[in-house]
């Protein structure tokens, strides 16, 4: 199949809103998202780009290919000590193409929240309804910003990516990610939040993975800071970081950002985020972008009991893991910090070894233990090569 070729492309070769997250169409659509879904730009500062030097490879091309062969990898960038030691692109993607991050977008929100809190623009202990009083009749009543950051809000919602009906489909339609049927009136992301009135447990309890909670936090951030989410991400993270290219984020019918999954950036800029984590939130020239104390909190303050009793505890029972401020953490003396999303999106930071892996894919399955295992294998082999 030759996707999106011809003037116009043949109907069977077109990536559309109806098929863009399925194979084979996702191989094109995941790095052309703004041609399918409306978006808002996250501007960079072209005159202030954080340059990345080249370094010596840690593994042979053959070893990398052996790991990647079973995957649908679109891009891979590996940094060691801030230098690019491996970089490749597939499926027509180039170094210039922003690729969707899926749930790694949540991790980007977690960094922005820490920056804004440090600047006094966001109160983490405030209640959600302190910022959004109209949500008082919903299950969010009594939940705090901190609990939402840690996915410990007791709202009833099933994150079932295989569902063909129900709340998750209404959610995708609200986000502008699914086709709205003729005669159907779809909500936007804000009005969708008003529908979440049922509770499934106490706030502050177990880890409960609910993507709409992250979109809610983007709304809270906009209310708190009085500006659009995309502009806040640009001003407080993307430009100060020295991003090489502008990113963008998908938006709903009224401009609300899909902070839970819609951020799109180039692979090198995702790697720069990982390098910031390795460097305590500072650029190579010493400019502080993310508060060091925020990253220390991410690395050390996750709740093990909340994790083990939560939604992913059994699935990842072989790993010592916690969750804090939208980041997964392997805690200990040398914490490993990573963000991961469906269809194979991943960023990994190992501050003790100064190692970063940014991996973008278009895996056919939304969640795949096989793909997770291959990512983990690559990291283990890279670490062993140091």
């Amino acid at each position: 199949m030759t996707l999106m070729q011809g003037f116009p492309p043949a109907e069977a070769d077109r990536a559309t809103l109806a098929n863009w997250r399925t194979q084979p169409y996702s191989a094109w659509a995941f790095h052309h998202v703004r041609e399918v879904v409306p978006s808002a730009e996250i501007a960079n500062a072209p005159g202030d780009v954080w340059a990345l030097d080249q370094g010596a490879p840690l593994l042979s091309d053959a070893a990398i290919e052996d790991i990647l062969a079973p995957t649908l990898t679109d891009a891979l960038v590996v940094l060691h000590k801030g230098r690019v030691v491996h970089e490749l692109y597939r499926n027509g993607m180039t170094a210039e193409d922003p690729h969707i991050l899926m749930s790694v977008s949540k991790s980007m929100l977690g960094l922005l929240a820490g920056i804004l809190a440090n600047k006094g623009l966001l109160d983490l202990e405030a209640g959600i309804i302190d910022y959004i009083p109209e949500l008082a009749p919903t299950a969010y009543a009594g939940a705090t910003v901190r609990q939402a950051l840690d996915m410990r809000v007791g709202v009833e919602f099933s994150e079932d990516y295989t569902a063909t009906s129900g709340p998750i489909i209404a959610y995708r339609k609200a986000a502008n990610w699914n086709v709205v049927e003729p005669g159907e009136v779809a909500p936007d992301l804000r009005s969708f939040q008003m529908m979440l009135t049922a509770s499934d447990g106490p706030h502050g309890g177990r880890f409960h993975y609910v993507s709409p909670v992250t979109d809610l936090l983007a709304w809270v951030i906009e209310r708190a800071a009085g500006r659009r989410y995309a502009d806040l991400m640009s001003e407080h993270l993307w430009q100060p970081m020295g991003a090489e290219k502008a990113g963008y984020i998908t938006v709903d019918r009224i401009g609300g950002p899909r902070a839970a999954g819609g951020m799109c950036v180039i692979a090198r800029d995702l790697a720069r985020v990982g390098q910031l984590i390795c460097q305590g939130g500072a650029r190579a020239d010493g400019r502080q972008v993310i508060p060091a104390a925020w990253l220390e909190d991410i690395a050390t303050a996750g709740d093990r009991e909340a994790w083990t009793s939560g939604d992913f505890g059994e699935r990842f029972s072989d790993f010592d893991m916690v969750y804090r401020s939208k980041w997964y953490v392997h805690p200990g003396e040398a914490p490993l910090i990573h963000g991961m999303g469906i269809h194979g999106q991943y960023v990994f930071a190992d501050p003790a070894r100064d190692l970063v892996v940014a991996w973008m894919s278009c895996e056919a399955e939304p969640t795949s233990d096989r793909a997770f295992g291959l990512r983990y294998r690559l990291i283990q082999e890279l670490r062993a090569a140091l």
Side-chain angles (χ1 to χ4, degrees), residues 166-188:
I168 196 167
I169 301 302
Y171 171 52
R172 288 172 173 166
K173 290 178 179 180
N176 253 353
W177 278 31
N178 274 30
V179 172
V180 176
E181 301 301 326
E184 182 180 11
V185 178
D188 53 74

Side-chain angles (χ1 to χ4, degrees), residues 323-346:
Y323 189 86
R324 183 69 167 174
S325 296
K326 306 297 178 187
W327 289 85
Y328 299 88
V329 180
H330 298 284
E333 291 185 9
L336 309 177
I337 301 168
H338 55 111
M340 58 183 176
I342 62 173
H343 299 290
Q345 320 318 320
Y346 191 70

Side-chain angles (χ1 to χ4, degrees), residues 1 131 276 359:
M1 178 178 286
Y131 286 111
L276 275 180
W359 193 332

Side-chain angles (χ1 to χ4, degrees), residues 59-73 76 90 359 363 370-371 373-382:
L59 299 174
S60 68
D61 291 344
I64 293 286
E65 180 56 36
D66 180 59
I67 297 169
L68 297 187
T71 73
L72 293 174
T73 296
L76 176 72
R90 291 177 168 176
W359 193 332
E363 296 292 338
R370 176 190 60 82
L374 290 169
R375 290 197 296 261
Y376 191 71
R377 176 187 162 194
L378 174 64
I379 288 161
Q380 293 297 85
E381 293 197 15
L382 288 166

Side-chain angles (χ1 to χ4, degrees), residues 11 29 54 96 114 137 145 184 206 215 232 237 265 272 300-302:
E11 186 172 354
Q54 289 295 128
E96 307 291 311
V145 174
E184 182 180 11
R206 79 192 196 284
D215 300 308
L232 291 165
L237 180 59
V265 307
R272 284 178 173 92
T300 62

Side-chain angles (χ1 to χ4, degrees), residues 93-159:
M93 184 174 167
T94 74
E96 307 291 311
D97 296 325
H99 191 288
I100 195 163
L101 298 183
M102 295 298 181
S103 287
V104 181
S105 306
K106 296 178 174 71
S107 302
M108 301 301 106
L109 178 141
L111 299 181
L112 177 61
I115 295 168
L116 296 177
N118 185 64
K119 293 180 178 181
L121 297 172
L122 180 66
D123 181 357
L124 304 181
E125 301 310 318
I128 296 295
I129 63 173
D130 292 336
Y131 286 111
I132 310 175
E134 52 266 51
L135 288 175
T138 72
Y140 291 118
T144 66
V145 174
R146 165 46 68 196
Q147 290 164 348
L149 278 168
D150 293 342
M151 288 291 195
R152 298 176 68 183
V153 173
V155 59
E156 185 176 303
F157 183 83
S158 176
E159 195 93 1

